[in-house]
Structure formats: structure tokens, C-alpha cells
């Protein structure tokens, strides 16, 4: 399980530092420009938009209209940008069901690339949980099913492969959020014939660069990045600091875009999945998927700035 929820980051204050959100192009303006960048899923060649969305805590809400209305706006803006991947888990409380409900209400059940996880022990328990997730979130369909935090992974992966062969799901993956699990993640990247791996990676936590990202690139495994803002710590660290002028070299107009474009600058990464229930934050996040990305020289400069 993940640690308890940290204090809400002062992102709104950080957004107005430096260039600020007022100078960022609107989604309507982006709609007139080239589409969101995509990267191919190595195992199939399918193009996947480079910004996704997580649902941990943000979509775990009740049925009241005032709780769900902002999330409906988040989904509308997400799809308007060209983004598609939505990631969830049975671990995330009501999130799967809320996503499924909102997609059905909007008539957009077939729009997203849906990803969720199996998070239990035992083959029968896992099969039951998978079926429940397919119905709650996907109304019978699912693009990607992952073994959450490698829990009972040797039991669940064969089941997921059977479901993929039967065309009940399209892709198979594994996840973990702890550095201590990186050796096990690497073994599965190398030997389990995965389509996806999901792992933590950010300016503050670059451990995956050493072995996991190169292994994923070598073995043709797509990479989803959780915790791209390091639980809000990146915003807290940069609070009050202006965005550097050279951020314009990779079409960056906010700290959120700075952090996400750093991740996307790594060629092994397919899609970071920031979570938000705030439509304004969602608009800011998806803009990282447009325009230029930093090369290795700029990424080294980004690291230096962050560590200064």
C-alpha cells in the first residue's frame, strides 16, 4: 500500500510564479495546433498519447453532484486535449466505479485507454476482482490489467496472459512504488514478457534511470510513470521560484509542465499519469504533451536547477 495522503501541495501558488498560467495557451488554442504527442507501445506499435491520468484519492468520492461535477470536467478536458489513458486500482476505494459511472453518463465509455490492476492474493480471488473491475470501470472492457505492487504476481500473471489470449484484455503489466522492489521489477521486465511496467520516476526520484528504464527500453516494455510530482514535493520545493527563461526552449510555461516534460524527455517513458480532481490543474498537466521536449543537455540542466 502507499503511504497516507500528504498535505495538499501549494500548486496554485506555484503556478503563478514565473511565467504563470495566464500566459499558457488554452486547450482551445492547443486544439488548433498539432495533436498531443504520442509514443508507440513497443509490443504492438499502438500510438499512446504521452500524458495520462491517475485516480488515486482524486476519484475516490461519493455520489453527490458537487463531488462528481469537477471530475466530469476533468475527464472532459482530458479527452479534449487528445489524452486517453486513465489508470486505477481496486486499492483506490471507489475510483474505478466513479470513472465507469462518469464515462457512461458522458457517453464516452469507448474513448479512453483504460488501465487498472489486480490487488489481492489467490487465483480465485484475483479472477473475481478482475471481473469486478472490468464491470465497474470498463463496463466489460479493459485495455491494460496490471499486477499491483507485484502482489502474488506469479499467480496472477498467468491469469492475465490467459485473458489477453482470450481478448478479454489487451495488455499485461506489473507495478510497484517502492525502491526496494526495483530488483524484482527488473526481473519481470527482463523475463515475464510484459507489455507495461508502472514505476515511480521524477526529478526528485531518478533511481529508475539506472537500470529499470534501460531494461524496459531493451526488452520492449512500455513505461507508465506514477507519482511524477513526488506527492507534491516538487511544487513545494520550487514554490516562489520563477520558471527559468530557458524553459521556453522546450515549450514549457509552468512548473507542472517542467516536471512532466523532464520525465517525457527520457526515451523509455511512454506516459506519466498525474492524478488531479482540479480541472485547472488538468489543463496545465496535459499541455506538457504538446510541443518540444528537453534533450539530454536540457534535462541535465533541469536536474541541476532542481538540486540547487
Amino acid at each position: 500500500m502507499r503511504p497516507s495522503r500528504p498535505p495538499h501541495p501549494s500548486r496554485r501558488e506555484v503556478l503563478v510564479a514565473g511565467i504563470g498560467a495566464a500566459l499558457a495557451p488554452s486547450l482551445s488554442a492547443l486544439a488548433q495546433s498539432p495533436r498531443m504527442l504520442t509514443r508507440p507501445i513497443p509490443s504492438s506499435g499502438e500510438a499512446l498519447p504521452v500524458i495520462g491520468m491517475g485516480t488515486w484519492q482524486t476519484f475516490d468520492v461519493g455520489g453527490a453532484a458537487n463531488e462528481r461535477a469537477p471530475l466530469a470536467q476533468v475527464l472532459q478536458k482530458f479527452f479534449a486535449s487528445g489524452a486517453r489513458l486513465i489508470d486505477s486500482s481496486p486499492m483506490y476505494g471507489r475510483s474505478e466505479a466513479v470513472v465507469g459511472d462518469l464515462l457512461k453518463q458522458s457517453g464516452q465509455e469507448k474513448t479512453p485507454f483504460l488501465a487498472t490492476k489486480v490487488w489481492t492474493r489467490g487465483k480465485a480471488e484475483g479472477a473475481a476482482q478482475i471481473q469486478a473491475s472490468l464491470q465497474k470501470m470498463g463496463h466489460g472492457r479493459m485495455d491494460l490489467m496490471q499486477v499491483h505492487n507485484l502482489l502474488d504476481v506469479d499467480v496472477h500473471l498467468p491469469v492475465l496472459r490467459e485473458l489477453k489470449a482470450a481478448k478479454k484484455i489487451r495488455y499485461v503489466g506489473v507495478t510497484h512504488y517502492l525502491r526496494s522492489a526495483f530488483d524484482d521489477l527488473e526481473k519481470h521486465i527482463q523475463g515475464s514478457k510484459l507489455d507495461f511496467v508502472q514505476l515511480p520516476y521524477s526529478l526528485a526520484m531518478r533511481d529508475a534511470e539506472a537500470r529499470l528504464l534501460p531494461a524496459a527500453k531493451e526488452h520492449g516494455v512500455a513505461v507508465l510513470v506514477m507519482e511524477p510530482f513526488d506527492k507534491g514535493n516538487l511544487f513545494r520545493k520550487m514554490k516562489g521560484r520563477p520558471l527559468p527563461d530557458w524553459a521556453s526552449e522546450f515549450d514549457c510555461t509552468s512548473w507542472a509542465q517542467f516536471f512532466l516534460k523532464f520525465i517525457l524527455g527520457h526515451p523509455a517513458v511512454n506516459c506519466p499519469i498525474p492524478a488531479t480532481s482540479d480541472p485547472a490543474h488538468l489543463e496545465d498537466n496535459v499541455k506538457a504533451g504538446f510541443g518540444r521536449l528537453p534533450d539530454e543537455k536540457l534535462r541535465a540542466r533541469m536536474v541541476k536547477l532542481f538540486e540547487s
Side-chain angles (χ1 to χ4, degrees):
M1 293 182 66
R2 299 189 186 192
S4 60
R5 189 173 190 175
H8 193 279
S10 55
R11 177 171 175 177
R12 197 171 297 280
E13 296 173 272
V14 178
L15 269 173
V16 299
I19 297 175
L23 297 182
S26 67
L27 282 179
S28 59
L30 288 175
Q32 306 302 317
S33 63
R35 294 181 179 179
M36 179 180 284
L37 300 172
T38 63
R39 283 186 175 161
I41 299 169
S43 64
S44 68
E46 178 183 356
L48 189 65
V50 296
I51 299 295
M53 182 168 60
T55 59
W56 180 52
Q57 298 184 330
T58 54
F59 275 70
D60 184 14
V61 301
N66 65 328
E67 292 182 285
R68 295 200 175 192
L71 298 178
Q73 291 182 50
V74 162
L75 288 177
Q76 187 276 325
K77 291 177 180 292
F78 183 72
F79 296 140
S81 75
R84 290 183 60 220
L85 189 144
I86 302 173
D87 178 79
S88 195
S89 171
M91 180 187 177
Y92 301 168
R94 294 160 290 191
S95 295
E96 288 180 317
V98 171
V99 169
D101 290 348
L102 291 174
L103 290 176
K104 187 175 182 179
Q105 290 167 16
S106 66
Q108 294 177 301
E109 295 105 313
K110 297 182 179 180
T111 303
F113 183 106
L114 292 176
T116 192
K117 310 175 184 78
V118 55
W119 183 65
T120 188
R121 292 191 182 277
K123 183 174 181 179
E125 292 82 357
Q129 189 180 76
I130 289 166
Q131 289 305 315
S133 293
L134 262 65
Q135 294 306 317
K136 288 178 186 177
M137 186 175 175
H139 300 285
R141 79 172 190 91
M142 190 63 58
D143 294 291
L144 167 62
M145 186 67 69
Q146 305 153 96
V147 181
H148 197 152
N149 292 343
L150 298 177
L151 182 64
D152 221 0
V153 62
D154 294 331
V155 170
H156 297 315
L157 269 183
V159 174
L160 297 188
R161 293 192 189 103
E162 290 174 6
L163 291 171
K164 181 181 176 182
K167 301 185 188 289
K168 299 290 182 65
I169 61 175
R170 299 174 60 222
Y171 298 104
V172 171
V174 299
T175 84
H176 216 295
Y177 75 101
L178 290 176
R179 291 181 179 90
S180 58
F182 278 15
D183 286 348
D184 288 336
L185 276 182
E186 185 179 13
K187 290 175 185 176
H188 284 288
I189 290 170
Q190 294 172 338
S192 293
K193 296 182 179 179
L194 302 173
D195 299 302
F196 281 83
V197 63
Q198 185 177 151
L199 49 81
Y201 179 49
S202 69
L203 263 172
M205 212 285 258
R206 302 190 300 277
D207 303 52
E209 291 178 346
R211 287 158 50 190
L212 292 187
L213 294 180
K217 190 74 173 174
E218 178 183 355
H219 293 276
V221 178
V223 177
L224 301 183
V225 171
M226 65 175 82
E227 300 180 356
F229 301 140
D230 192 40
K231 304 182 184 73
N233 290 326
L234 301 188
F235 292 109
R236 284 186 281 273
K237 180 175 174 63
M238 306 311 285
K239 181 179 178 180
R241 297 178 64 175
L243 199 66
D245 292 343
W246 46 268
S248 63
E249 295 181 33
F250 49 96
D251 301 312
C252 174
T253 60
S254 76
W255 282 117
Q257 295 167 40
F258 190 93
F259 304 144
L260 292 170
K261 281 178 176 275
F262 170 80
I263 293 169
L264 289 171
H266 196 293
V269 171
N270 283 75
C271 186
I273 50 172
T276 185
S277 58
D278 186 319
H281 290 176
L282 186 282
E283 275 201 71
D284 191 26
N285 291 344
V286 296
K287 288 168 190 169
F290 292 82
R292 295 168 291 179
L293 296 174
D295 59 17
E296 282 306 303
K297 184 176 179 180
L298 280 168
R299 291 180 81 245
R301 196 173 182 184
M302 295 165 89
V303 171
K304 186 176 180 181
L305 175 69
F306 179 75
E307 293 181 340
S308 63

